Amino acid sequence: MKSLRPVTMLQFILIISTFQISVAFLSIPRELARHAGTDGWMVIFLGWGLAALASIAIVKLMKYNPNSTILELIQRYIGVWAAKVASFIFMAYYLLLAYDGYMIASLVIKLWLLPSTYIYVLVLLLLIPTFQIAQHGFQAIGRYSEIVTMLSLWIPFIYVSTLSRAHWLYLLPLFKEGWFPVLSSIKFMIYPMLGIGLVLFLYPHLVNKEKALPAMIISNTLTCIVYLGITLICYVYFSPDEIGVYNDPVISIMKSIEFQFIERVEVVFIAFYLFVFSCIWIPSMYLVSRCSASLVGIGQERYHLAVWCIVIEISFFLYRPSFIESATINYTLNFIGFIMEFALPACVLLYVAIRKKRGRGKHT
C-alpha cells in the first residue's frame, strides 16, 4: 500500500465539520421551521445523537483494519468483487454530493451576485481550484479546511449583532404541537450531518487513531453548535409565519445589517462563504477520483479527477438546474445519505464482527 500523507487531529475535525456545515448551513433553519415550527431547534439535538451513534459504528469498523480504507476492508472480509461494487457505489454517492454542492453554490451566486452569468461559467470557475487542491489528497484538504475556518471566524459576530432586534417570545410556547413534529423531523437532520462517512476513507491518514472517536464527537458538536446558533437567531428575528417563507433566511437576515463602510453585507458574506461551500465538493471530488481509480484499476487519481471535473462541467452546460431540482436532490440525499453513512457502516460492522468472532477473517 502506498504511503499515506498524515492528517492532524485538528485537520480531521475541521474536514468533517466544514463538510457538514458547507451547504446545510443556509437551509437548515428553513427546513426545520417548515416541518417542526419554532420547535425545530430541538431537532438538532436529536441529529447530534444520531450522528454520535453512527460515529461509534464507523470508528469500531475501521479499527478492524486501521491502515486501510473501507474499500480495502471490504475486499479483505467480503471479497474483491464486493470491493468493486462498493467503489462504484461510493463513487456515485460522492459524485452526487459534489454535484449538489456545485448546484447550490452556483444558484446562490447567480441569484444574489451575478444574475446575468451562466451557471456553467460559474461552475467552471469553481472547478479550477477544486482540481488544484483535491489532487493533493486529504493532507492538502485538511490544510485548506484550517484556512477556511480562520477566514470564517468573523461570520458569527455578524449574526450576533442582529440579536438587538430579536423577539425571544417567538420561541414560546415550547412544543406547540406536541412531540410528534419534533421527533418526525429528525429525518431532515440526515442531510446536515452528512460528512461522517469521510472517516471511512480518512481514518488511515489520521495521526492519532485512538482519538478518532473523540475527534468525531467534537466535530459533530461543533457542527450542531453552529446549526443551533443560526437556527435560534433566525427564529427570534423572523416571526413564526415568516421563517418558512424565505428561501434563504440565513442570507436574508443580513439585509437588515448596516455598516458605514459596507452597504450590502450579504454580498460580502456570499463571497466569503464560497470558501465554506467548497468544503463539500473538494473532498467529494477527491473521493470520486479515488474510487474511480480503484474501480478501474488503472491511471493515477489526478487523471481521474480531471476527467470527472470535465464531466461535471459538461453536465451543467447541457442541463440548467433550478432551486426546485436542488430541493429534490436534497430530499433524495436524506435517504441515500442515511443508507451510505449511517446504515451501511453499521451493517458492515455487524458482518465483520460476526466473521471475526467465528475466526474466518483472513487477508486476501
Side-chain angles (χ1 to χ4, degrees):
M1 186 179 68
K2 64 181 182 180
S3 59
L4 300 176
R5 296 180 177 178
V7 173
T8 66
M9 189 63 60
L10 179 61
Q11 291 172 349
F12 181 83
I13 293 172
L14 294 181
I15 288 175
I16 299 172
S17 188
T18 53
F19 187 99
Q20 294 171 327
I21 293 172
S22 58
V23 175
F25 179 80
L26 299 182
S27 62
I28 191 169
R30 179 193 69 232
E31 292 300 324
L32 294 182
R34 288 178 178 177
H35 297 93
T38 53
D39 292 329
W41 61 273
M42 303 178 190
V43 185
I44 297 174
F45 294 100
L46 300 179
W48 178 89
L50 185 63
L53 293 176
S55 299
I56 295 173
I58 290 173
V59 172
K60 285 185 174 293
L61 172 63
M62 298 310 296
K63 283 183 178 180
Y64 282 104
N65 207 16
N67 295 318
S68 302
T69 66
I70 182 64
L71 301 180
E72 293 158 334
L73 188 146
I74 290 176
Q75 180 176 335
R76 175 185 177 184
Y77 287 98
I78 303 179
V80 176
W81 286 105
K84 293 292 185 182
V85 173
S87 297
F88 177 80
I89 293 174
F90 277 106
M91 180 186 71
Y93 171 63
Y94 282 107
L95 185 63
L96 180 61
L97 278 174
Y99 182 86
D100 180 61
Y102 284 120
M103 179 171 54
I104 295 177
S106 60
L107 288 172
V108 170
I109 296 171
K110 185 174 178 62
L111 177 64
W112 292 90
L113 298 182
L114 302 170
S116 301
T117 307
Y118 292 111
I119 286 182
Y120 66 85
V121 175
L122 297 174
V123 173
L124 176 61
L125 296 175
L126 298 175
L127 282 168
I128 295 173
T130 298
F131 178 79
Q132 293 297 326
I133 298 172
Q135 66 175 322
H136 298 293
F138 276 124
Q139 188 178 66
I141 295 172
R143 292 171 179 172
Y144 179 75
S145 299
E146 291 178 318
I147 295 173
V148 169
T149 302
M150 289 187 291
L151 291 175
S152 306
L153 290 177
W154 62 274
I155 295 178
F157 297 100
I158 298 295
Y159 283 107
V160 169
S161 67
T162 64
L163 293 178
S164 59
R165 291 184 284 273
H167 298 81
W168 294 96
L169 292 178
Y170 286 159
L171 298 176
L172 300 176
L174 300 179
F175 303 106
K176 299 177 180 62
E177 299 180 8
W179 279 94
F180 181 75
V182 176
L183 296 177
S184 62
S185 297
I186 190 174
K187 58 185 177 182
F188 297 104
M189 280 300 299
I190 300 297
Y191 180 75
M193 299 307 294
L194 295 182
I196 55 177
L198 291 175
V199 181
L200 297 172
F201 297 88
L202 187 57
Y203 188 86
H205 299 263
L206 185 60
V207 175
N208 298 318
K209 293 181 176 59
E210 65 277 4
K211 297 182 180 180
L213 182 57
M216 291 187 71
I217 299 299
I218 293 173
S219 178
N220 292 330
T221 302
L222 288 175
T223 299
C224 289
I225 289 174
V226 173
Y227 288 157
L228 184 63
I230 191 60
T231 301
L232 287 174
I233 288 174
C234 288
Y235 282 8
V236 299
Y237 183 86
F238 298 105
S239 70
D241 297 327
E242 286 181 311
I243 184 64
V245 175
Y246 286 95
N247 189 54
D248 295 310
V250 175
I251 301 176
S252 299
I253 196 174
M254 288 197 167
K255 288 186 174 182
S256 63
I257 303 174
E258 296 180 357
F259 295 107
Q260 293 181 351
F261 53 92
I262 297 179
E263 183 177 354
R264 295 185 61 190
V265 180
E266 70 273 14
V267 173
V268 180
F269 167 76
I270 296 173
F272 271 90
Y273 200 76
L274 282 176
F275 292 103
V276 184
F277 267 137
S278 64
C279 289
I280 187 172
W281 63 66
I282 291 178
S284 295
M285 290 299 290
Y286 168 67
L287 290 179
V288 168
S289 65
R290 188 166 178 174
C291 292
S292 176
S294 175
L295 178 64
V296 177
I298 56 174
Q300 297 182 6
E301 294 172 0
R302 65 192 306 265
Y303 298 133
H304 287 263
L305 176 63
V307 171
W308 284 114
C309 287
I310 295 173
V311 170
I312 289 286
E313 176 61 21
I314 293 175
S315 68
F316 278 99
F317 180 78
L318 297 176
Y319 177 70
R320 315 293 170 81
S322 65
F323 280 103
I324 297 177
E325 283 85 2
S326 174
T328 302
I329 292 180
N330 286 352
Y331 291 138
T332 304
L333 280 170
N334 269 315
F335 175 73
I336 298 176
F338 177 77
I339 294 176
M340 295 298 298
E341 301 195 18
F342 293 81
L344 180 61
C347 292
V348 177
L349 172 63
L350 181 62
Y351 176 84
V352 173
I354 292 175
R355 285 206 58 172
K356 289 286 290 185
K357 186 175 182 179
R358 292 181 178 180
R360 292 203 301 264
K362 63 180 181 178
H363 291 279
T364 57

